[in-house]
Amino acid sequence: QVLLVESGGAVVRPGGSLRLSCAASGFSFRTYGMHWVRQAPGKGLEWVAFIRYDGTNKYYADSVRGRFTISRDDSQNTLYLQMNSLRSEDTALYYCAKGRGYGDYVAAEYWGQGTLVTVSS
Amino acid sequence: DIVMTQSPDSLAVSLGERATINCKSSQSVLSSSNSENYLGWYQQKPGQPPKLLIYWASTRESGVPDRFSGSGSGTDFTLTISSLQAEDVAVYYCQQYSRPPYTFGQGTKLEI
């Protein structure tokens, strides 16, 4: 079965950096696009970023563009989110999700349990 | 960016009754190339990650009970639960994946 396990969440100071990882198993990772979605405490879902199955296209939310970078390592079946210049408003539970299909325009089919990022001084 | 607006923000429905949640997009999410609406519905129960219920606006994900149905096209969409069960208490979100950024609605909290 599909399994997505996020890691890398931590408490970090404003202006700091963090790299999140998402280990994928149970499906052919290299043939699916992948999403990052976040949820601030007690708030709704906010889509963060998407990477195409072959890594050629990457899309970002306006709130993170220029600060966050999505990437993937198909040899390790792992998705990454490099987060720089972190702000207090980036505090959230970060989920990775498998795209429902291999194209750019796909729903988020399976989700991990999330990893918590707290930005605080 | 496409703005997704759900209504109502919260909803209380009796067991066995119908629940209806609406979602409106600021731009059409209907593709002219394949006539599909790039709209999904998700269910999130407390302490759990979201679960995809419906994609292409009206296609149920495998294993989702048939009391859940999606309808609509263009900019106006509806999620209907035909006969509410206790386990359906959750927050429901719509999302467009027609054009990045792939925005979510603000969520609708469904209670008994």
Side-chain angles (χ1 to χ4, degrees), chain A residues 40-86:
Chain A
K43 302 298 184 182
L45 302 174
E46 181 185 14
W47 177 84
V48 173
F50 174 83
I51 184 167
R52 184 179 163 89
Y53 73 98
D54 58 4
T56 55
N57 289 340
K58 303 176 184 181
Y59 306 113
Y60 298 93
D62 296 345
S63 57
V64 307
R65 189 177 296 113
R67 300 188 299 124
F68 290 11
T69 302
I70 189 171
S71 62
R72 62 190 299 154
D73 183 343
D74 291 346
S75 69
Q76 298 292 319
N77 288 347
T78 301
L79 176 73
Y80 299 102
L81 186 68
Q82 178 66 44
M83 310 164 66
N84 298 330
S85 303
L86 282 161

Side-chain angles (χ1 to χ4, degrees), chain A:
Chain A
Q1 74 283 15
V2 172
L3 187 61
L4 299 167
V5 180
E6 301 93 339
S7 62
V11 178
V12 61
R13 294 190 184 278
S17 297
L18 209 56
R19 188 177 82 158
L20 305 184
S21 300
C22 170
S25 60
F27 65 103
S28 179
F29 180 75
R30 67 180 64 247
T31 61
Y32 290 91
M34 297 291 295
H35 297 269
W36 284 102
V37 177
R38 69 185 181 184
Q39 188 167 36
K43 302 298 184 182
L45 302 174
E46 181 185 14
W47 177 84
V48 173
F50 174 83
I51 184 167
R52 184 179 163 89
Y53 73 98
D54 58 4
T56 55
N57 289 340
K58 303 176 184 181
Y59 306 113
Y60 298 93
D62 296 345
S63 57
V64 307
R65 189 177 296 113
R67 300 188 299 124
F68 290 11
T69 302
I70 189 171
S71 62
R72 62 190 299 154
D73 183 343
D74 291 346
S75 69
Q76 298 292 319
N77 288 347
T78 301
L79 176 73
Y80 299 102
L81 186 68
Q82 178 66 44
M83 310 164 66
N84 298 330
S85 303
L86 282 161
R87 306 167 179 168
S88 58
E89 54 264 37
D90 296 319
T91 294
L93 186 63
Y94 284 74
Y95 296 103
C96 69
K98 170 187 172 292
R100 200 188 187 289
Y102 62 87
D104 285 12
Y105 311 104
V106 291
E109 184 179 25
Y110 291 100
W111 299 60
Q113 293 295 313
T115 187
L116 183 62
V117 173
T118 303
V119 183
S120 174
S121 55

